[in-house]
Amino acid sequence: MKILITGDFVIQNKSALIDIENEKELNEVFHEIRDLTSTCDYAITNLENPVTDASQKILKDGPHLKMAPKYMKLISFCGFNIVTLANNHLKDYGNKGVCDTIGYCKTNNLQTVGAGVDISTAYKPLIVGSDDLKIGIINVCESESSIADDAEAGAAPFDLIRIYNAIKEIRNRCQYILVIVHGGCENYSLPTPEMKRKYHFIADIGADVIVNHHQHCLSGYEIYNNVPIFYGLGNMFFDEPNNLEKWYQGLALVLNFNEKIEFQILPFIQCKDRPEIHFDDSNISEIIEGLNAVIADDEQLKKEFRRFVSSSLALSPFTPYNGHYIKALYHRRLLPSFISRTKAVVLQNRILCASHCEVVLEKFRQLISGK
């Protein structure tokens, strides 16, 4: 059985101008990915935007994405038959956006995983294949603004206890278990040291393959105790002009499940000059080899992560600055941070200590909800 997995699929900007009724134009844009999906039993992409006509945005950190229902035709035209929905944009337009998305996927014959009307259904694995070979798919995302709970629709959160229980539930029903995670640091081409540690644990508790996306750039991979772990596929189809070069580089991962798992990585360029997908190996293979070498070396991985953090403005949300122009001055390092070493110790303690963190998160929930 062959399964294709790709990263984030978003229709916006130039790609929203594609004439979905013009088959010649669709072939020009998508024929290469369509040729690939036609060779696979299942083809998966991450539907990064809700599909809805809802207009009420949720209060969240970051941009709101949305796709008109008519563009579902593009996903089907590409040959995808499964979409992962556990991502940080699924709930941008609330419960209605989530339920609309699931509904439109169903009417377009797309199977879904990673989302539901509550957390229980969001965590329901998808099992594909036949009696001879069944593969269980679990899809989760890091806990941002899209997460389901007992009463709210949304995405399945990255929770090691729930992942363990989901794997345990289907272990005896499937020959292989595939865990797809939406997580990591945006525009950072490596896993964080903690990501690597947690993904190793997911392999230890029974996952046979682990695949990650979200960073909007490709990453490397490793084989840990015979479990392939792919740390970043980049974007599948996501038009964002004037971005970093790595934004436009993606990976198509083909997994072949037989007596053992074999894989093939196919690099491509997407939406760079125009909305299209073009397979191109050029220097991407060399990039992946370099990333793999860092991933294999824990000390080097930590070193690269520290370098990434030192160049970032990770404490920006903790500063007193509000307003677009004031924040812009701060981001250009023209204003001080106001976070002293003493204050940093206090903030670190609130985050690092599990009980403190739980109290702070509940306080945030109460403040945001007004209850």
Side-chain angles (χ1 to χ4, degrees):
M1 184 190 300
K2 288 174 68 174
I3 296 181
L4 168 69
I5 308 174
T6 61
D8 302 343
F9 190 104
V10 172
I11 297 297
Q12 64 175 15
N13 300 320
K14 294 191 297 292
S15 62
L17 302 178
I18 295 172
D19 184 355
I20 61 174
E21 302 303 327
N22 186 334
E23 189 154 335
K24 180 181 178 182
E25 182 176 349
L26 294 182
N27 273 316
E28 289 176 353
V29 175
F30 296 116
H31 75 276
E32 291 193 33
I33 188 67
R34 194 179 188 187
D35 288 346
L36 177 60
T37 59
S38 67
T39 68
C40 299
D41 299 287
Y42 298 96
I44 305 172
T45 195
N46 178 58
L47 184 54
E48 180 80 355
N49 42 208
V51 183
T52 182
D53 58 4
S55 58
Q56 188 64 44
K57 300 177 180 179
I58 66 167
L59 181 64
K60 63 170 288 190
D61 179 22
H64 294 77
L65 300 180
K66 182 171 68 169
M67 187 174 89
K70 66 179 182 179
Y71 292 114
M72 293 296 284
K73 180 178 180 178
L74 301 182
I75 298 177
S76 298
F77 185 86
C78 288
F80 293 108
N81 47 24
I82 299 173
V83 292
T84 52
L85 294 179
N87 58 66
N88 55 305
H89 287 285
L90 174 68
K91 205 171 179 177
D92 282 4
Y93 287 82
N95 273 16
K96 176 173 168 47
V98 176
C99 295
D100 284 351
T101 302
I102 296 171
Y104 282 119
C105 288
K106 185 175 182 180
T107 58
N108 284 273
N109 298 314
L110 291 167
Q111 297 188 79
T112 65
V113 62
V117 296
D118 55 31
I119 195 167
S120 177
T121 52
Y123 242 98
K124 185 177 180 181
L126 174 66
I127 298 177
V128 298
S130 62
D131 289 338
D132 294 331
L133 179 58
K134 289 185 177 180
I135 297 171
I137 304 172
I138 297 167
N139 176 219
V140 299
C141 65
E142 291 184 341
S143 295
E144 295 196 53
S145 54
S146 63
I147 298 305
D149 61 25
D150 290 338
E152 290 274 328
F158 185 98
D159 179 325
L160 289 176
I161 295 174
R162 290 183 182 276
I163 293 171
Y164 169 81
N165 288 333
I167 290 175
K168 183 179 178 181
E169 176 193 343
I170 61 173
R171 180 72 277 176
N172 292 332
R173 296 158 53 195
C174 303
Q175 281 78 16
Y176 295 106
I177 294 177
L178 164 62
V179 177
I180 303 176
V181 183
H182 194 74
C185 299
E186 292 189 1
N187 298 314
Y188 182 54
S189 298
L190 289 163
T192 70
E194 188 68 5
M195 273 179 70
K196 180 178 176 180
R197 189 175 74 90
K198 288 179 177 177
Y199 288 19
H200 282 191
F201 178 76
I202 294 172
D204 289 338
I205 61 177
D208 298 294
V209 185
I210 302 166
V211 180
N212 186 82
H213 41 56
H214 169 61
Q215 307 99 316
H216 303 305
C217 56
L218 59 84
S219 186
Y221 65 90
E222 66 172 334
I223 310 296
Y224 167 75
N225 288 348
N226 295 319
V227 176
I229 304 176
F230 303 91
Y231 285 105
L233 299 184
N235 294 315
M236 163 60 205
F237 194 74
F238 198 155
D239 181 37
E240 186 68 32
N242 304 318
N243 217 310
L244 301 171
E245 180 71 19
K246 58 187 177 181
W247 177 279
Y248 308 108
Q249 299 170 338
L251 299 177
L253 171 64
V254 179
L255 298 170
N256 198 347
F257 295 89
N258 287 306
E259 289 78 15
K260 62 178 182 177
I261 301 171
E262 299 174 331
F263 64 87
Q264 184 180 16
I265 295 173
L266 303 171
F268 59 84
I269 304 297
Q270 61 85 32
C271 294
K272 184 176 181 182
D273 301 312
R274 60 187 298 267
E276 66 178 359
I277 300 169
H278 173 60
F279 284 93
D280 182 358
D281 198 13
S282 58
N283 66 332
I284 296 180
S285 294
E286 294 178 10
I287 293 172
I288 294 173
E289 288 177 8
L291 294 169
N292 289 354
V294 177
I295 291 169
D297 185 333
D298 285 344
E299 288 306 311
Q300 187 64 26
L301 188 64
K302 291 176 184 176
K303 182 179 179 180
E304 292 297 329
F305 181 62
R306 293 189 189 108
R307 181 180 292 124
F308 167 72
V309 173
S310 67
S311 66
S312 76
L313 290 167
L315 296 182
S316 176
F318 297 97
T319 64
Y321 300 122
N322 288 305
H324 177 75
Y325 295 108
I326 296 296
K327 285 183 177 179
L329 290 173
Y330 172 72
H331 290 159
R332 287 174 172 79
R333 304 180 191 276
L334 297 175
L335 294 174
S337 73
F338 287 107
I339 299 177
S340 65
R341 291 182 67 206
T342 302
K343 185 68 172 178
V345 169
V346 174
L347 293 174
Q348 181 191 53
N349 188 47
R350 293 299 186 272
I351 295 169
L352 195 59
C353 173
S355 295
H356 286 331
C357 185
E358 190 172 358
V359 169
V360 170
L361 290 175
E362 178 57 30
K363 193 66 179 179
F364 279 143
R365 292 188 190 100
Q366 292 174 5
L367 180 63
I368 293 167
S369 67
K371 298 178 182 178

